[in-house]
């Protein structure tokens, strides 16, 4: 099973797209992974997608290295990203979108069961006005009330397409 990982790099100053692309490398085990970039003209934010992440039986780690040398920055940062094992069904990331449409995005390790009603299984602390949108392994949580800087999201009993359930989890 192959997966992808998406992220972004935000710079303080404008930089040539080709130079930005030299800042990030990704490895999973012995495999060097492909990083594809999307650049918006005049934007300080550069989005990347790492593809070809192979899920294996046991949990593993993808190593990301951000090297500022190409940008003239004498700093390098490493980060490890957990890759769930094949038999694990987990919430792999939670992020808030605050530009344009405001929502909280949950990414799961597997596509969700299309037939399962998610109401009551995904909760935003103290809210009863939620609208949930599902797209494969992604759920977006919308609310008509104003979101606070910190929100508590609870997930329990969500099933993947193979009917495995997520363990109960809470994330701020």
């Amino acid at each position: 099973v192959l997966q992808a990982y998406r992220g972004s790099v935000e710079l303080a100053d404008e930089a040539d797209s080709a130079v930005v692309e030299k800042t990030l490398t990704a490895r999973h085990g012995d495999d060097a992974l492909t990083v594809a970039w999307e650049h918006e003209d005049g934007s300080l934010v550069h989005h990347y997608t790492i593809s070809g992440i192979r899920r294996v039986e046991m949990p593993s780690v993808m190593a990301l290295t951000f090297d500022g040398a190409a940008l003239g920055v004498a700093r390098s940062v490493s980060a490890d990203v957990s890759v769930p094992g094949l038999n694990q069904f987990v919430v792999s990331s939670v992020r808030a979108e605050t530009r344009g449409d405001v929502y909280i995005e949950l990414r799961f390790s597997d596509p969700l069961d299309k037939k399962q009603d998610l109401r009551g299984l995904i909760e935003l602390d103290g809210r009863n006005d939620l609208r949930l949108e599902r797209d494969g392994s992604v759920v977006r949580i919308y609310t008509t009330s104003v979101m606070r800087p910190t929100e508590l999201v609870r997930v329990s009993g969500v099933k993947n397409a193979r009917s495995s359930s997520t363990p109960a989890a809470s994330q701020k």
Side-chain angles (χ1 to χ4, degrees), residues 5 8-9 22-25 37 48 64-69 75-79:
Y5 180 83
S8 58
V9 175
K22 294 178 183 176
T23 63
L24 176 63
T25 57
W37 290 87
Y48 61 86
L64 303 180
T65 303
F66 297 90
D67 186 352
R75 187 166 181 225
S76 180
V77 177
S78 296

Side-chain angles (χ1 to χ4, degrees), residues 7-57:
S8 58
V9 175
E10 185 169 357
L11 304 176
D13 299 309
E14 286 189 32
D16 182 73
S17 298
V19 174
V20 173
E21 292 181 11
K22 294 178 183 176
T23 63
L24 176 63
T25 57
R27 297 197 66 78
H28 184 232
D30 293 333
D31 299 332
L33 300 172
T34 302
V35 181
W37 290 87
E38 292 179 35
H39 307 280
E40 299 172 26
D41 289 335
S43 174
L44 300 177
V45 180
H46 304 267
H47 304 280
Y48 61 86
T49 302
I50 300 169
S51 57
I53 304 165
R54 185 172 307 282
R55 283 176 65 189
V56 294
E57 197 65 37

Side-chain angles (χ1 to χ4, degrees), residues 91 104 106 108 112 116-125 127 130-134 138-142 152-159 166 169:
V91 177
I104 296 175
L106 305 177
F108 291 83
L112 302 182
Q116 185 178 33
D117 183 356
L118 298 175
R119 288 179 296 191
L121 303 179
I122 297 175
E123 299 175 318
L124 195 54
D125 204 31
R127 310 289 177 118
L130 302 184
R131 178 172 52 93
L132 304 173
E133 288 185 3
R134 171 189 354 218
V138 177
V139 173
R140 289 179 189 85
I141 306 168
Y142 296 88
L152 180 64
V153 179
R154 287 190 177 92
V155 178
S156 64
V158 174
K159 294 181 180 179
T166 58

Side-chain angles (χ1 to χ4, degrees), residues 3 28 53-55 58-62 81-85 88:
Q3 290 199 304
H28 184 232
I53 304 165
R54 185 172 307 282
R55 283 176 65 189
M58 298 302 294
S60 58
V61 174
M62 176 177 60
V81 176
S82 296
V83 178
Q88 288 182 299

